[in-house]
Amino acid sequence: MEFIVKNKINKAIEPNKVDFKITPENLKNVNVNKQNATAKSSIPDFHIRGHFDSGVCNIEEPFTGNVNVEKSNVEIRSIELQFVRV
């Protein structure tokens, strides 16, 4: 199923670069079993940095930015990005 959403924008959106970094230490929503408190330690060591060209985007324009894997102690087979409207 595919949905296409169009929105008329009355004013131009000014880009505001949004930097991010992802490491095992700053992950949230990691299931930690009380009997196995080492669940976070079982996550492979990695360091990812990047940026989004803008934190506010027109849905009709491409979403642009950069993702750099600076460090990973395991082979990476894929990277999935999930965007959530808040």
Side-chain angles (χ1 to χ4, degrees), residues 15-31:
N16 58 329
K17 184 177 171 185
V18 179
D19 293 317
F20 66 87
K21 76 174 184 175
I22 307 169
T23 63
E25 291 78 29
N26 66 11
L27 290 178
K28 295 179 182 176
N29 298 328
V30 176
N31 293 331

Side-chain angles (χ1 to χ4, degrees), residues 15-57:
N16 58 329
K17 184 177 171 185
V18 179
D19 293 317
F20 66 87
K21 76 174 184 175
I22 307 169
T23 63
E25 291 78 29
N26 66 11
L27 290 178
K28 295 179 182 176
N29 298 328
V30 176
N31 293 331
V32 178
N33 186 339
K34 291 181 181 178
Q35 295 173 352
N36 182 10
T38 61
K40 272 201 171 186
S41 66
S42 67
I43 297 172
D45 192 24
F46 65 90
H47 194 118
I48 298 172
R49 285 189 186 268
H51 75 271
F52 302 119
D53 290 333
S54 182
V56 178
C57 304

Side-chain angles (χ1 to χ4, degrees), residues 57-72:
C57 304
N58 178 347
I59 199 162
E60 294 181 329
E61 298 294 323
F63 192 81
T64 58
N66 187 337
V67 176
N68 293 316
V69 178
E70 296 180 338
K71 173 184 169 184
S72 176

Side-chain angles (χ1 to χ4, degrees), residues 2-21:
E2 182 177 318
F3 293 95
I4 298 175
V5 179
K6 292 192 175 187
N7 185 15
K8 292 184 180 180
I9 296 188
N10 296 332
K11 62 179 183 174
I13 298 173
E14 296 210 17
N16 58 329
K17 184 177 171 185
V18 179
D19 293 317
F20 66 87
K21 76 174 184 175

